[in-house]
Amino acid sequence: MSDNSNLRILGDTPKAVSRRRFIQGVIGGGAAVCSAGYLFRGLTVHGVGGTGERLISLNVNGQVRRADVMKQETLAWTLRYKLGLTGTKLGCDRAECGACTVLIDDVPHYSCSVLTHTVRARKVMTIEGLANEDGSLHPVQQGIIDEQGFQCAFCMSGFIMATVGFLKTNPNPTRSELAHGISGNLCRCQDYDKILTALMRGAENMRSNHV
């Protein structure tokens, strides 16, 4: 029996298995595998719906918040998915990009590399906690608006938190000093000159407001 006969018995023809359909099948299968891998990563590493969680209290943005936290759970995960503070972005998730930067006792930290249970006795501040009680923005936030310093703004909250922390130690930096101070933060749009101009404007706002 010929190969064509075998294909007809199987209910297909040589032309039916096109290159397009083959590629679609490969892509679909790969996406399913990747999605499953990410899902199980979340279940095992971050403890979503898992066992072994412990109810702890955290001081976040001046308020005591309680959350069920796994022993190996990162602060970034807790802030975003347990406390709903989504201004803290998860970028690289390996302490390289700085998108998840928050202040812990006024010092900038990559929250993706800090275990939540280690900050129970400390003060955590996220981008949501910067604005004043009357709704007015923090001077650094206002500087971003004044200069329109970001494009996609995914990395913006991390840059702002890093700048606020740096200005606590050096309130009157030169442009070069500020650039060095926030060098641990990366921008996918790479418009660093414009970002730095906006952050310098924020530093000027802080000095004029005596914050």
Side-chain angles (χ1 to χ4, degrees):
M1 185 179 294
S2 67
D3 291 338
N4 289 345
S5 298
N6 288 332
L7 287 169
R8 283 193 290 273
I9 291 174
L10 294 174
D12 210 339
T13 66
K15 293 183 179 180
V17 186
S18 67
R19 180 174 178 272
R20 179 183 295 273
R21 290 180 59 186
F22 175 76
I23 293 174
Q24 288 175 338
V26 171
I27 293 174
V33 171
C34 291
S35 299
Y38 183 81
L39 174 62
F40 286 115
R41 176 180 179 274
L43 289 170
T44 56
V45 175
H46 299 293
V48 180
T51 60
E53 294 182 340
R54 179 181 179 184
L55 183 63
I56 66 174
S57 296
L58 301 170
N59 186 329
V60 181
N61 296 331
Q63 298 182 346
V64 176
R65 304 286 301 272
R66 306 190 77 187
D68 290 318
V69 175
M70 291 285 289
K71 184 176 181 180
Q72 71 272 31
E73 186 171 306
T74 66
L75 180 58
W77 189 268
T78 303
L79 292 172
R80 285 185 60 83
Y81 301 112
K82 300 292 181 67
L83 301 182
L85 299 172
T86 55
T88 301
K89 304 301 182 184
L90 274 173
C92 65
D93 205 15
R94 59 182 65 187
E96 292 180 353
C97 74
C100 66
T101 301
V102 300
L103 300 185
I104 301 176
D105 293 338
D106 289 336
V107 178
H109 288 268
Y110 296 142
S111 60
C112 73
S113 297
V114 175
L115 296 180
T116 304
H117 70 85
T118 66
V119 301
R120 284 179 292 176
R122 306 173 72 180
K123 295 180 180 179
V124 178
M125 177 172 285
T126 71
I127 190 74
E128 290 88 350
L130 283 186
N132 300 312
E133 293 183 0
D134 62 2
S136 60
L137 295 177
H138 186 279
V140 175
Q141 291 175 305
Q142 188 60 52
I144 298 299
I145 293 178
D146 293 340
E147 298 292 337
Q148 299 183 1
F150 288 84
Q151 294 187 41
C152 80
F154 182 86
C155 63
M156 181 175 68
S157 58
F159 270 97
I160 291 175
M161 299 309 294
T163 301
V164 171
F166 177 75
L167 292 176
K168 290 180 181 294
T169 61
N170 185 354
N172 189 21
T174 65
R175 189 178 180 91
S176 177
E177 288 171 340
L178 182 56
H180 180 74
I182 61 172
S183 60
N185 290 71
L186 303 178
C187 172
R188 62 176 64 178
C189 305
Q190 300 184 26
D191 196 357
Y192 291 108
D193 185 66
K194 192 173 183 180
I195 290 173
L196 192 55
T197 296
L199 296 177
M200 285 295 292
R201 177 70 174 270
E204 294 172 4
N205 290 344
M206 287 190 67
R207 290 193 298 273
S208 62
N209 293 344
H210 303 289
V211 175

